[in-house]
Amino acid sequence: MNILQINVCLDKGGAAKVALDLHNNLLSFNINSRFAYGWGNRGGMSSSEISVKSCFRVGSRLQVIPNYLFHSILGIDLFNPYGIGRKNLIEAIQLADVIHLHVVHSYFIKFTWLVKAIQRAKKPIVWTTHDYWAVTGRCASVGECNKWKSGCGNCPKLSSYPSAYFDNTRAQFKRKRGLLEEISSDLVMVAPSKFLASELAANLPNIEVLHIPNWLDEKFQIACRNHQLPNDIIRLPINNVKVLIVANNLNDPSKVNVDLINKLLKIRGVELHCIGSNSPFTEGNVKNYGEISNREQMVEVVSSCDVALFTSEIDTFGLVMIEALACGVPVLAIESKASREVLLDIGIKPIAIFSDILKIISSRSLPSEYDNKTKSSLKFSVLDKFSRETATKLYLDIYKRLI
């Protein structure tokens, strides 16, 4: 069985972590998997490429950077891959039994060109929709906007990722829906959350939509299992409290509530630990780690904290919540579709309003769901639930059915 995974990045972001771990899992099952990614550092090669088996880069700086510039103006990618990247991708598509798409937006390839290349090769497609981009005119996340349900146009949030200056959403919506209709009989969509699967199925009635939740990647799971945690009851320290925030872009207001964090930093004894790029927090009681790619180091840093915050209201899953809980760290997550689905399933309630998070930290009193729980028990309850082996077997079942 030959599977081709395609994702914009090799190892940056939650979607890339899931896609790459699936690729590695398939290889461990003696499945011939290849991983095609769009771009890495500054539009060039990913620094991780040398350590990943059977992967190759599709894009190049001379293509990715102009696409970024044009997209920021028109909301579309104009330039296709060329040279060795294009040649390798076309050959990989032709050799594959199934094409597995992940995130295929953001500056590395024209969706029309990619779909036509797969159609010419007559290959079935599995598409894990890590966000809403597949069903919108441009946006990867929709928030409270419902225009994508009726054709987009007059976009109220042109600044939403991936941003654009001019509104081209209605035309892009029609083009994308037309392409999806063309491949509907050879396409299975997979959503990481039940709510996203339900919305996709309602708006794409001719396409099969399934639900497979995201999971903790192998290296993170191993690091978690090897990291010894105390068996003490989880409590917030009376003196210094280490508060964790994790995001790819810490300056993204859709992911990180900067106003909340600034108020939090004024609370006595709070020490903020930030993982991610572009941190706007520079106070004396802030520790910025930047991006952490080493999974053992990630587990060490996360486990050292007392509580983690999740303030995104637009995520479709929220893998960072699972990663924190797997490290034995309680999570305070604001109410959202993702936090409800992920946390309620393991008996933890999201926080209704942001001010309640401030009260919890100030009082050093965690919600009652954490009563009588230890870091160790919290870790193993999450590790057992979000199994990579189960998810991989579910994907294998889909591949076999399509071939």
Side-chain angles (χ1 to χ4, degrees):
M1 188 187 301
N2 298 302
I3 311 298
L4 174 63
Q5 313 282 338
I6 303 178
N7 192 66
V8 61
C9 292
L10 181 58
D11 62 351
K12 184 178 179 181
K17 290 175 187 174
V18 170
L20 182 56
D21 195 61
L22 176 60
H23 166 69
N24 289 327
N25 294 347
L26 292 172
L27 290 174
S28 71
F29 279 46
N30 294 318
I31 303 297
N32 185 20
S33 178
R34 298 190 71 193
F35 195 112
Y37 75 97
W39 48 270
N41 306 52
R42 298 181 180 180
M45 187 178 79
S46 168
S47 57
S48 301
E49 183 176 322
I50 193 171
S51 62
V52 176
K53 293 181 181 178
S54 301
C55 78
F56 63 93
R57 176 166 54 102
V58 175
S60 67
R61 285 193 178 96
L62 291 177
Q63 173 223 351
V64 172
I65 293 174
N67 267 341
Y68 170 78
L69 295 174
F70 273 98
H71 196 290
S72 64
I73 299 170
L74 300 174
I76 56 176
D77 294 325
L78 289 181
F79 302 103
N80 293 317
Y82 68 92
I84 190 65
R86 178 191 181 106
K87 178 176 178 290
N88 287 341
L89 180 59
I90 290 174
E91 288 179 353
I93 289 172
Q94 291 171 341
L95 290 171
D97 295 311
V98 177
I99 312 299
H100 192 150
L101 307 180
H102 293 271
V103 174
V104 291
H105 57 75
S106 298
Y107 328 128
F108 90 104
I109 203 164
K110 284 173 68 175
F111 185 60
T112 302
W113 183 90
L114 177 61
V115 169
K116 294 300 182 183
I118 297 171
Q119 279 184 304
R120 283 192 295 271
K122 298 179 180 179
K123 305 295 182 177
I125 302 170
V126 175
W127 190 354
T128 300
T129 54
H130 299 272
D131 53 33
Y132 279 86
W133 185 85
V135 290
T136 71
R138 193 203 73 257
C139 297
S141 58
V142 296
E144 298 300 318
C145 180
N146 288 314
K147 286 199 167 190
W148 62 277
K149 295 180 180 180
S150 58
C152 288
N154 296 318
C155 181
K157 292 188 176 181
L158 288 171
S159 60
S160 293
Y161 172 79
S163 63
Y165 186 79
F166 291 107
D167 185 3
N168 202 19
T169 55
R170 183 172 292 278
Q172 289 300 306
F173 179 93
K174 289 180 179 178
R175 184 175 292 113
K176 201 180 295 180
R177 285 298 169 96
L179 290 168
L180 290 176
E181 188 62 33
E182 287 181 22
I183 60 174
S184 59
S185 61
D186 295 312
L187 171 64
V188 174
M189 281 184 154
V190 179
S193 55
K194 292 176 184 175
F195 74 83
L196 180 56
S198 177
E199 291 188 311
L200 290 175
N203 285 273
L204 300 170
N206 296 328
I207 294 174
E208 181 181 2
V209 179
L210 302 174
H211 165 238
I212 299 177
N214 286 343
W215 62 92
L216 296 165
D217 63 83
E218 179 184 21
K219 290 182 180 179
F220 194 91
Q221 282 195 51
I222 292 172
C224 280
R225 293 186 185 279
N226 291 338
H227 187 80
Q228 297 299 312
L229 293 175
N231 240 356
D232 301 335
I233 298 297
I234 295 173
R235 293 187 179 89
L236 292 183
I238 296 299
N239 296 319
N240 293 334
V241 179
K242 296 178 179 179
V243 179
L244 175 71
I245 190 84
V246 181
N248 284 329
N249 181 1
L250 291 162
N251 205 25
D252 181 351
S254 68
K255 298 278 190 173
V256 178
N257 189 310
V258 174
D259 181 59
L260 171 73
I261 302 300
N262 285 331
K263 290 177 180 177
L264 194 70
L265 288 169
K266 295 177 182 178
I267 297 175
R268 176 187 56 83
V270 165
E271 187 178 292
L272 185 68
H273 290 243
C274 302
I275 299 175
S277 61
N278 304 321
S279 174
F281 312 112
T282 58
E283 290 82 347
N285 54 338
V286 175
K287 186 164 185 179
N288 287 305
Y289 295 89
E291 296 179 355
I292 299 178
S293 57
N294 182 285
R295 305 308 271 160
E296 290 182 357
Q297 183 188 359
M298 183 76 168
V299 169
E300 288 284 346
V301 172
V302 174
S303 299
S304 71
C305 295
D306 301 305
V307 64
L309 302 187
F310 183 79
T311 62
S312 170
E313 297 179 81
I314 64 166
D315 272 46
T316 56
F317 186 79
L319 191 60
V320 295
M321 290 187 286
I322 302 304
E323 289 177 340
L325 292 167
C327 291
V329 177
V331 172
L332 302 179
I334 199 65
E335 180 101 12
S336 68
K337 291 178 181 178
S339 64
R340 283 195 298 271
E341 181 165 325
V342 171
L343 296 181
L344 288 176
D345 204 31
I346 52 178
I348 299 171
K349 295 178 182 177
I351 308 299
I353 54 177
F354 287 111
S355 59
D356 285 349
I357 293 177
L358 297 174
K359 291 176 184 176
I360 290 168
I361 301 297
S362 295
S363 66
R364 306 296 200 264
S365 179
L366 287 168
S368 59
E369 304 93 273
Y370 293 104
D371 289 351
N372 301 318
K373 280 188 170 64
T374 67
K375 286 199 167 199
S376 182
S377 67
L378 187 62
K379 173 176 85 169
F380 285 108
S381 67
V382 172
L383 287 176
D384 291 340
K385 188 166 187 63
F386 296 93
S387 163
R388 52 188 285 272
E389 291 82 3
T390 300
T392 302
K393 288 176 182 177
L394 289 172
Y395 275 114
L396 274 172
D397 289 342
I398 299 172
Y399 298 154
K400 290 174 183 176
R401 181 161 55 85
L402 288 173
I403 295 174

